[in-house]
Amino acid sequence: MGDKNTILKVRQRIDEIDDTFLKLLKERIECALEIGRLKNETNRAKWDPQREREIYQRLLTDNQGKFPEKALRSIFHEIITTCRLSQKKTEVSYLGPEATFTHLAGVKYFGQSAEYKSMESIDEVFNEVEKGRVQYGIVPVENSIEGAVFSTLDSFMKYSVKICGELQLPITHHLVCRSGNIEDIQTVASHAQPLAQCREWLKKNMPSVPTLPVFSTGGAAQMAANNPNIGAISSELAIKTYELQVVVRGIEDYQGNTTRFLIIGPQSPSRSGQDKTSLLLGVADRPGSLNEVLTVLSAKNINLAKLESRPIKGKQWKYLFFMDMLGHMEDPVIQEGCSILKQICPYYEWLGSYPRADNIDLLN
């Protein structure tokens, strides 16, 4: 009887704590709305990444490891994004249909409160943002195993948008179908990248079953839901969304498979203190021109994080270079280095400065 009374008292205390949580959450969202009104009066940006970073650092320090750190980050990420989005409803375009890895990355970045708009191609995601029909888009840019997503890089050459953020999403591929029986699968459908990332497993375990590249993992899951003889390589979210059965979990060929996604929008956020800056450059057609660019960065002690070339459409053997460097355009050393690059490069475009993914690793 004593144990039962003790449990009842503890549960009553938990209820009191939950009621306090709810009261404080309602108060917090009212404060967020007031900040939104004040920012509107002064035309200040709604998103302040440096302020959010300070909140996370303070909470983690005060926590002293008592509450699981990853869960604490996840909880406050949802609270912070919900309060920020309450100031203005955010619409996000992504490569659809529902339950693609890009959709999952969007939910992890913007939270459940944003409105998501499915697009049939990466090109359309860029177009929606440039036309102002949505505030943001989210696109995959590179995978740790298969490399760059060229359709994203090519879209930066066509559309006038800015990079606003990035996140890195660990990727786990599941083989799914309607019945859950591998014997029912006569074709395996998925996006070209997941098919490539699972090619050795498929060759070993389903050597006689043909593969079918489609425009997204969500589209493959839809096909599997509609056809009992189609298997799909899809995400955990797709399993729930399309009510599919798992045949085999985790069929990717290599552990540590991670995709980097970029958030695109009309303008980049202010400095957070742990940022990246991305450029699109064309170099002079003479020996040593790329080395000149790298020498500028070295002389300014600027850390280069990525360098990728892409052919210019319609100009045979002509290339542009995508470059990521550590730092923000508001940092004096980045400003100075980019000013020199602008002078020596025939083509120069600043794609944006934004918080680095390791600054928001709660999303992983």
Side-chain angles (χ1 to χ4, degrees):
M1 191 71 178
D3 288 345
K4 188 174 181 180
N5 287 335
T6 301
I7 290 172
L8 184 61
K9 286 181 180 178
V10 175
R11 284 176 174 169
Q12 286 174 343
R13 179 57 185 148
I14 288 173
D15 289 343
E16 291 170 0
I17 292 170
D18 289 343
D19 291 341
T20 303
F21 278 157
L22 181 58
K23 180 181 176 182
L24 293 174
L25 285 172
K26 290 191 288 186
E27 184 178 346
R28 194 188 198 284
I29 204 165
E30 286 298 323
C31 290
L33 290 168
E34 179 61 22
I35 288 175
R37 285 190 287 268
L38 293 171
K39 285 184 174 181
N40 282 337
E41 291 174 5
T42 55
N43 289 321
R44 288 179 60 187
K46 293 289 190 302
W47 184 29
D48 185 344
Q50 184 168 1
R51 164 66 178 157
E52 291 190 7
R53 178 169 165 256
E54 290 168 354
I55 292 172
Y56 288 125
Q57 288 181 334
R58 174 175 57 79
L59 292 170
L60 290 171
T61 300
D62 292 347
N63 181 49
Q64 297 182 335
K66 191 160 187 176
F67 195 90
E69 197 168 286
K70 188 174 181 180
L72 184 68
R73 284 175 172 269
S74 180
I75 290 166
F76 274 94
H77 170 66
E78 195 65 38
I79 292 171
I80 289 169
T81 53
T82 299
C83 288
R84 171 165 27 95
L85 293 176
S86 72
Q87 298 172 9
K88 184 180 180 181
K89 198 69 174 179
T90 296
E91 291 183 300
V92 183
S93 61
Y94 69 95
L95 176 62
E98 189 178 2
T100 59
F101 284 107
T102 309
H103 182 203
L104 178 59
V107 172
K108 286 186 175 290
Y109 194 93
F110 291 100
Q112 299 284 350
S113 300
E115 293 182 0
Y116 295 94
K117 190 174 181 180
S118 171
M119 298 288 114
E120 291 188 358
S121 68
I122 287 174
D123 190 273
E124 288 184 27
V125 174
F126 275 80
N127 188 52
E128 287 292 294
V129 174
E130 185 185 66
K131 298 296 184 185
R133 290 191 281 261
V134 296
Q135 290 101 315
Y136 298 105
I138 182 164
V139 290
V141 68
E142 61 180 326
N143 177 265
S144 59
I145 295 172
E146 293 300 315
V149 180
F150 295 132
S151 53
T152 294
L153 298 183
D154 291 345
S155 291
F156 277 112
M157 301 183 194
K158 293 171 58 179
Y159 295 99
S160 180
V161 299
K162 293 296 181 201
I163 303 173
C164 306
E166 67 169 2
L167 73 117
Q168 296 177 14
L169 183 72
I171 302 295
T172 301
H173 294 304
H174 307 306
L175 179 64
V176 300
C177 69
R178 266 169 53 173
S179 68
N181 296 319
I182 196 168
E183 294 82 7
D184 293 335
I185 299 175
Q186 297 176 7
T187 302
V188 176
S190 194
H191 186 272
Q193 285 243 350
L195 288 173
Q197 292 161 18
C198 304
R199 65 166 70 92
E200 294 301 323
W201 189 96
L202 292 171
K203 187 188 299 182
K204 179 181 178 181
N205 295 279
M206 305 178 75
S208 61
V209 177
T211 58
L212 176 64
V214 295
F215 71 91
S216 73
T217 53
Q222 273 188 335
M223 293 170 63
N226 294 326
N227 188 327
N229 298 126
I230 290 181
I233 299 174
S234 297
S235 67
E236 192 75 37
L237 181 59
I239 297 169
K240 299 172 185 175
T241 302
Y242 299 106
E243 299 180 346
L244 295 165
Q245 302 299 315
V246 177
V247 179
V248 184
R249 290 186 179 274
I251 66 169
E252 60 273 11
D253 294 330
Y254 300 97
Q255 298 297 312
N257 184 5
T258 301
T259 296
R260 177 183 172 221
F261 293 86
L262 295 178
I263 314 302
I264 57 173
Q267 62 183 34
S268 288
S270 58
R271 183 179 180 276
S272 75
Q274 293 187 28
D275 303 286
K276 268 185 191 172
T277 291
S278 295
L279 304 176
L280 182 58
L281 302 176
V283 298
D285 188 11
R286 55 180 170 75
S289 58
L290 180 57
N291 183 59
E292 286 181 23
V293 170
L294 300 178
T295 300
V296 169
L297 301 181
S298 177
K300 294 293 181 182
N301 201 30
I302 296 172
N303 193 358
L304 184 65
K306 177 183 173 67
L307 183 64
E308 184 98 31
S309 66
R310 285 298 291 156
I312 302 173
K313 300 291 189 288
K315 295 185 178 180
Q316 198 172 33
W317 316 125
K318 299 292 183 181
Y319 297 86
L320 290 178
F321 291 89
F322 290 86
M323 180 180 291
D324 291 342
M325 61 185 75
L326 301 189
H328 195 282
M329 189 59 81
E330 294 174 3
D331 297 334
V333 68
I334 298 294
Q335 279 187 2
E336 293 166 9
C338 288
S339 178
I340 297 171
L341 294 181
K342 198 171 184 178
Q343 295 173 27
I344 67 174
C345 293
Y347 183 88
Y348 170 94
E349 184 179 354
W350 172 58
L351 298 179
S353 296
Y354 47 93
R356 296 204 310 259
D358 55 2
N359 193 26
I360 49 170
D361 58 1
L362 67 142
L363 305 178
N364 295 333

